[in-house]
Amino acid sequence: MLTDDDKRLMRVAYQEAKAGFDEGGCPIGSVLARNGTIISQGRNQRVQQGDPIAHGEMDALRKAGRQKTYRDTVLYTTLSPCMMCAGTIVQFGIPRVVIGDTKNFGGNEDFLRDRGVEVVLAEDPDCIALMRRFVTEQPELWAEDIAD
């Protein structure tokens, strides 16, 4: 179930995704929060930085810097995490992930759940529509991003 904080922070993640789209990149945004307060936010930077591991979740985590613990945080992401990002969520012990879109890409939700992560599916219409637009307009870039 989505809380008011979840809805608000997913909007911030969406705005990051939209900014990435407007820059010519993959529209995936992410926010790391603690008690409803943003620690950091980021977006997929693969195209902009030429960095194959600069996914939205990774960008937000990098910008968070060193944290003593992640066990009291929530990660918001506009698209279901890939295996690299899902593994990082597990490695860091992030206990809760809110996902904006599993329609355009999904599959690692059970991996996260099986490792004790609470997975909340927002299925946000804006996140879904933006990613659908990207996949339609830039299929080669999308295939590159998901290593297809």
Side-chain angles (χ1 to χ4, degrees), residues 10-70:
M10 184 56 69
R11 296 313 312 152
V12 175
Y14 172 78
Q15 291 164 356
E16 285 284 342
K18 181 68 168 78
F21 179 83
D22 292 343
E23 294 167 352
C26 302
I28 304 165
S30 189
V31 170
L32 184 67
R34 179 177 285 121
N35 299 319
T37 300
I38 295 174
I39 298 170
S40 64
Q41 59 194 70
R43 60 183 166 269
N44 187 299
Q45 298 276 334
R46 292 183 70 255
V47 172
Q48 298 92 318
Q49 295 181 7
D51 180 347
I53 63 170
H55 289 201
E57 299 91 339
M58 302 302 245
D59 189 45
L61 290 167
R62 278 188 183 123
K63 288 176 178 174
R66 293 175 56 199
Q67 300 290 310
K68 290 186 183 221
T69 185
Y70 295 87

Side-chain angles (χ1 to χ4, degrees), residues 2-18:
L2 292 175
T3 67
D4 288 341
D5 278 343
D6 291 340
K7 293 172 187 173
R8 176 177 56 82
L9 294 168
M10 184 56 69
R11 296 313 312 152
V12 175
Y14 172 78
Q15 291 164 356
E16 285 284 342
K18 181 68 168 78

